[in-house]
Amino acid sequence: MQKFTANGTFVTSWGSTGIGDGQFTSPSGVVVDSKGNVYFGDFGYNARVQKFDSNGNFITKWGSTGFGDGQFIRPADIAIDKSNNVYVVDSGNNRVQKFDSNGNFITKWGSSGTADGQFNAPIGIAINSKGLVYVTDNNDAEVQIFAPSIPK
């Protein structure tokens, strides 16, 4: 990760290859919350989310490889809503998982398939100012839009 000022002046950098805190095997997705904290997904072996302050100091991490709540198979992208909840597109599990800013699991939705609410390798996520969640699905070549209150 490299941080620059608005006019392109280098400020700092952090992260390296590996499995420890602040290390990545394949960083995927980066987002900043309203407090300036920076979140990264790690698409590779680590299968997790890491949170840093705006200066690159490690704060916390969550996730591991698997199929359960809070586990990932290829976390491809991250988004944050107005309440600083973290949404992770879990490409390998064909779902979206929602966490609070400390990594506590809130809910999930999606499954494998081609019907509405199902995914086939989702890879991108964004949240608009009204809280609508947009998920891009790579293999189905579509974007699905979800309302802010997703049922469990």
Side-chain angles (χ1 to χ4, degrees), residues 51-75:
K51 178 181 176 181
F52 301 84
D53 68 17
S54 61
N55 295 313
N57 297 305
F58 176 81
I59 296 174
T60 190
K61 65 184 175 197
W62 67 88
S64 61
T65 301
F67 307 101
D69 295 346
Q71 294 185 308
F72 307 105
I73 304 292
R74 297 189 307 273

Side-chain angles (χ1 to χ4, degrees), residues 28 42-44 47 66-67 71-78 87-97 109-113 118-125 135-140:
S28 58
D42 196 341
F43 189 84
F67 307 101
Q71 294 185 308
F72 307 105
I73 304 292
R74 297 189 307 273
D77 199 10
I78 302 175
Y87 297 72
V88 181
V89 171
D90 187 1
S91 184
N93 282 320
N94 291 304
R95 65 185 178 184
V96 173
Q97 294 192 69
W109 71 91
S111 61
S112 184
Q118 295 184 319
F119 304 110
N120 188 3
I123 59 167
I125 189 166
V135 180
T136 58
D137 197 339
N138 189 44
N139 290 340
D140 286 340

Side-chain angles (χ1 to χ4, degrees), residues 1 14-18 22-30 39-50 52 74-78:
M1 167 68 179
W14 69 86
S16 61
T17 301
Q23 295 184 314
F24 305 92
T25 55
S26 185
S28 58
V30 59
Y39 300 77
F40 290 93
D42 196 341
F43 189 84
Y45 173 79
N46 291 332
R48 65 185 178 191
V49 173
Q50 293 191 76
F52 301 84
R74 297 189 307 273
D77 199 10
I78 302 175

Side-chain angles (χ1 to χ4, degrees), residues 77-82 85-89 95-98 107 109 117 119 122 124-136 142-150:
D77 199 10
I78 302 175
I80 291 185
D81 65 19
K82 289 181 181 181
N85 292 309
V86 180
Y87 297 72
V88 181
V89 171
R95 65 185 178 184
V96 173
Q97 294 192 69
K98 179 180 176 181
T107 191
W109 71 91
F119 304 110
I125 189 166
I127 301 172
N128 73 8
S129 62
K130 295 180 181 178
L132 293 176
V133 179
Y134 295 74
V135 180
T136 58
E142 67 182 9
V143 176
Q144 293 190 52
I145 304 169
F146 299 90
S149 58
I150 305 299

